Amino acid sequence: MDSSSANDKQVIYRSPIRSIFDKFSSTKDASLVYGEPIEFEDKCVLPVAKVNYYVGGGGGYSDASENTSAAQGEGGGGYFAIKPVGVFEITPEKVKFRPVMNSYFILTIISVVTLGLGFLWKRSRK
């Protein structure tokens, strides 16, 4: 195979890292945080979430020459976290925000209170 036929073949490569990065870098609107409104009776409920994401990547390309073939490489990674925060309850009279309670926080509070009461009860029995 001569070098002219090797150069005529172009490989079209769409990076999976680029598609992820393009999605989150171009979508800087409320759709990342606010869900689709849910309507029932005379209310409209709008879900709200906290979104954190970090994406990074890099790559390189080397041209083909007579002695070497073309090479391409890339790498990347990221972190995505989506946590529900609450809902906006919208009625004709008012808009009210109702936060979501974090179950780990509630369990921690219950544990601390239970341990504290157990400690006080043990001290009072002495």
Side-chain angles (χ1 to χ4, degrees), residues 30 33-38 44-49 84-89 97:
V33 177
Y34 296 103
E36 292 292 322
I38 302 164
C44 180
V45 177
L46 184 64
V48 182
V85 175
V87 296
F88 279 106
E89 190 176 283
F97 181 75

Side-chain angles (χ1 to χ4, degrees), residues 2-126:
D2 65 7
S3 63
S4 64
S5 64
N7 289 338
D8 291 340
K9 293 182 180 179
Q10 293 290 328
V11 177
I12 299 174
Y13 178 73
R14 177 75 175 145
S15 167
I17 301 297
R18 177 168 294 280
S19 63
I20 293 170
F21 182 74
D22 287 346
K23 162 76 175 153
F24 285 97
S25 67
S26 64
T27 309
K28 295 178 183 172
D29 61 8
S31 68
L32 288 175
V33 177
Y34 296 103
E36 292 292 322
I38 302 164
E39 295 184 27
F40 61 96
E41 296 178 6
D42 64 340
K43 291 183 186 177
C44 180
V45 177
L46 184 64
V48 182
K50 179 180 179 181
V51 179
N52 287 326
Y53 63 91
Y54 308 99
V55 179
Y61 176 81
S62 69
D63 290 329
S65 68
E66 289 183 19
N67 299 330
T68 62
S69 61
Q72 178 175 328
E74 66 178 36
Y79 167 79
F80 298 90
I82 301 172
K83 295 180 183 178
V85 175
V87 296
F88 279 106
E89 190 176 283
I90 305 166
T91 63
E93 295 82 32
K94 63 182 174 180
V95 175
K96 186 173 184 178
F97 181 75
R98 297 191 178 266
V100 172
M101 297 299 268
N102 185 342
S103 59
Y104 293 114
F105 178 72
I106 293 171
L107 288 174
T108 302
I109 296 297
I110 290 171
S111 299
V112 168
V113 169
T114 303
L115 287 172
L117 290 174
F119 179 71
L120 291 175
W121 185 67
K122 188 177 178 181
R123 275 185 98 187
S124 67
R125 294 193 73 203
K126 287 185 179 182

